Amino acid sequence: MHRADQPPSRRAFLDVTGATVAAGLLSGCSGDSARPARPAPSAPASSAPAAPAPVPVTGRHQAGVTLPRSPQPHLLALVADLGAGVAPGPLLAELGETVRTLTAGSDPRLLGLPPGDLTVTVGVGPRLVRAVGAALPGAADLPPFSRERIAPRARGGDLLIQICAGEAPLVPVVAAALLDRAGDRIRERWRQFGRRGTEVPVAEGRSAPRNVLGFIDGIVGPHTPAEQERDLWLAGPPGVAGGTLAVLRRMELDLTRFAALSVAEQEAVFGRRRASGAPLSGGGVADAPGLGAKTADGRYLIPADAHVRRANPTVVGVGHMLRRSYSIDDPVPGLLFISFQNDLRTFTATLTRMDTSDALLPFTTTTAGATFLILPGYGPRRPLGSPLFG
């Protein structure tokens, strides 16, 4: 990743290092024993893994939030500013068309790589939203919080391009194509690659990854359509309906100090079992934490400063956020946290409460942060961004 105070040129992604793929060959013996002297034919080569299903680009919502159901393992978050005098509407419409050609596999800038389950999700920052209406969702900046060490260029931004894919080499290639289409109309602020950890089943048809601290991440959230309509998607006004609000936070983690804790101490920080993800109050990984459960001598089974207690939406008095966490190791080991919600207060009130006493926060330092309005879905007759900037 480039340093925040030295933004790369928009051509930086064109110098892409190829990935080496190792393939194995299976051979076997014929089951025909009638003619043993005959050379045994090779067994058929094992079939290649099925290609990931394409993710629909058009619709009420942009892809890359709830679709695909299990997020792809590789992500690039790219944050940029629009140049002076650049109109958002035409730029967004062109980016949307480019996304359609990239996901369809018809763009020569893919360099022959199959798009697979590629998704590109585009959001706009508060400055652009305020230019349309100061009261619109997405018009408010993300306030500062404690334990931040954020350079000016790593705070805020006009444009978010989130690229997710099942194949790592595809991500920088797609970024280069989109930056090429945008040309000199945008200037990059910062970017971050991330990867999801091993997926662990948490409920029927749903899984969550382990984060870089070894714990299952993203168990609680608006997972059903009804929950998503309530807590995730914006219902209005018309220019933003079908969109959502994203918060990005890049965090350094003190892995050495956390690893020095015993497993029991680590579990007390999170309020969950490290191996299973089950709350310390008992039950399974998908069960709600029993915040009132106590030991025989009156101690809370989930400590008062445990992360699952301090960030619990019922206790905070906010809706659920859909959380995505990606492990990073550049510039240092850490986490790229992304949350989606239809009210920025869902995030800000939660982090404000965590700031007062959350056992996890002392192991973190935030080095980049921003919020964006994820634009509503689009289609052939409804260009990306047109309901708001048309």
Side-chain angles (χ1 to χ4, degrees), residues 200-229:
V200 179
V202 298
E204 176 146 9
R206 184 162 57 86
S207 63
R210 290 195 182 276
N211 60 30
V212 72
L213 296 174
F215 283 76
I216 301 173
D217 206 340
I219 298 169
V220 178
H223 300 301
T224 68
E227 291 169 342
Q228 291 166 1
E229 289 298 322

Side-chain angles (χ1 to χ4, degrees), residues 304-327:
D305 61 352
H307 179 63
V308 298
R309 182 184 293 276
R310 301 303 301 176
N312 185 278
T314 302
V315 175
V316 178
V318 295
H320 287 77
M321 62 181 80
L322 184 67
R323 295 178 290 135
R324 299 278 188 261
S325 294
Y326 296 83
S327 297

Side-chain angles (χ1 to χ4, degrees), residues 368-390:
T371 181
F372 298 92
L373 165 66
I374 301 299
L375 295 164
Y378 59 102
R381 298 183 181 180
R382 190 188 194 218
L384 176 66
S386 59
L388 193 62
F389 298 104

Side-chain angles (χ1 to χ4, degrees), residues 114-141:
D117 57 359
L118 169 69
T119 59
V120 179
T121 313
V122 180
V124 293
R127 185 182 75 86
L128 299 185
V129 178
R130 284 195 296 268
V132 179
L136 285 171
D141 289 297

Side-chain angles (χ1 to χ4, degrees), residues 10-358:
R10 67 184 183 88
R11 297 290 183 181
F13 268 94
L14 295 176
D15 297 323
V16 180
T17 301
T20 302
V21 179
L25 180 65
L26 299 177
S27 61
C29 298
S30 168
D32 182 3
S33 59
R35 285 174 279 195
R38 188 174 181 175
S42 298
S46 60
S47 59
V55 182
V57 176
T58 58
R60 182 183 172 213
H61 314 297
Q62 287 193 69
V65 181
T66 57
L67 291 177
R69 185 173 177 84
S70 292
Q72 307 94 316
H74 303 287
L75 167 140
L76 169 65
L78 190 152
V79 177
D81 284 338
L82 269 63
V86 173
L91 172 63
L92 292 169
E94 290 178 31
L95 289 177
E97 281 302 307
T98 305
V99 170
R100 292 178 64 191
T101 62
L102 289 167
T103 54
S106 59
D107 195 311
R109 289 170 291 194
L110 279 175
L111 304 177
L113 294 173
D117 57 359
L118 169 69
T119 59
V120 179
T121 313
V122 180
V124 293
R127 185 182 75 86
L128 299 185
V129 178
R130 284 195 296 268
V132 179
L136 285 171
D141 289 297
L142 191 66
F145 295 95
S146 69
R147 305 199 61 81
E148 291 184 340
R149 191 178 69 243
I150 302 178
R153 289 197 60 80
R155 188 186 295 277
D158 288 340
L159 186 69
L160 167 67
I161 301 175
Q162 174 191 281
I163 304 168
C164 299
E167 297 293 333
L170 188 64
V171 174
V173 171
V174 169
L178 292 166
L179 291 173
D180 181 63
R181 182 64 181 262
D184 296 331
R185 290 174 292 179
I186 68 173
R187 182 186 178 197
E188 187 173 333
R189 275 177 170 261
W190 61 277
R191 64 177 70 181
Q192 183 65 59
F193 287 97
R195 62 190 180 278
R196 281 172 68 86
T198 303
E199 295 284 334
V200 179
V202 298
E204 176 146 9
R206 184 162 57 86
S207 63
R210 290 195 182 276
N211 60 30
V212 72
L213 296 174
F215 283 76
I216 301 173
D217 206 340
I219 298 169
V220 178
H223 300 301
T224 68
E227 291 169 342
Q228 291 166 1
E229 289 298 322
R230 182 191 68 203
D231 294 331
L232 176 61
W233 302 119
L234 291 164
V240 302
T244 186
L245 303 177
V247 171
L248 277 72
R249 302 262 289 176
R250 185 183 64 205
M251 292 176 282
E252 296 179 1
L253 296 178
D254 193 339
L255 297 181
T256 302
R257 193 158 61 89
F258 188 81
L261 301 177
S262 68
V263 173
E265 289 171 327
Q266 293 175 10
E267 292 177 340
V269 167
F270 276 91
R272 291 185 179 274
R273 301 294 179 195
R274 191 176 71 180
S276 67
L280 296 183
S281 54
V285 59
D287 291 330
L291 301 181
K294 296 183 178 181
T295 63
D297 60 358
R299 291 180 294 108
Y300 282 115
L301 290 173
I302 296 178
D305 61 352
H307 179 63
V308 298
R309 182 184 293 276
R310 301 303 301 176
N312 185 278
T314 302
V315 175
V316 178
V318 295
H320 287 77
M321 62 181 80
L322 184 67
R323 295 178 290 135
R324 299 278 188 261
S325 294
Y326 296 83
S327 297
I328 63 175
D329 55 16
D330 182 16
V332 297
L335 200 69
L336 179 65
F337 170 90
I338 305 175
S339 69
F340 300 99
Q341 53 273 300
N342 58 14
D343 187 343
L344 188 60
R345 184 179 173 273
T346 298
F347 176 83
T348 57
T350 300
L351 195 54
T352 298
R353 188 171 189 274
M354 289 168 57
D355 263 347
T356 62
S357 176
D358 188 305

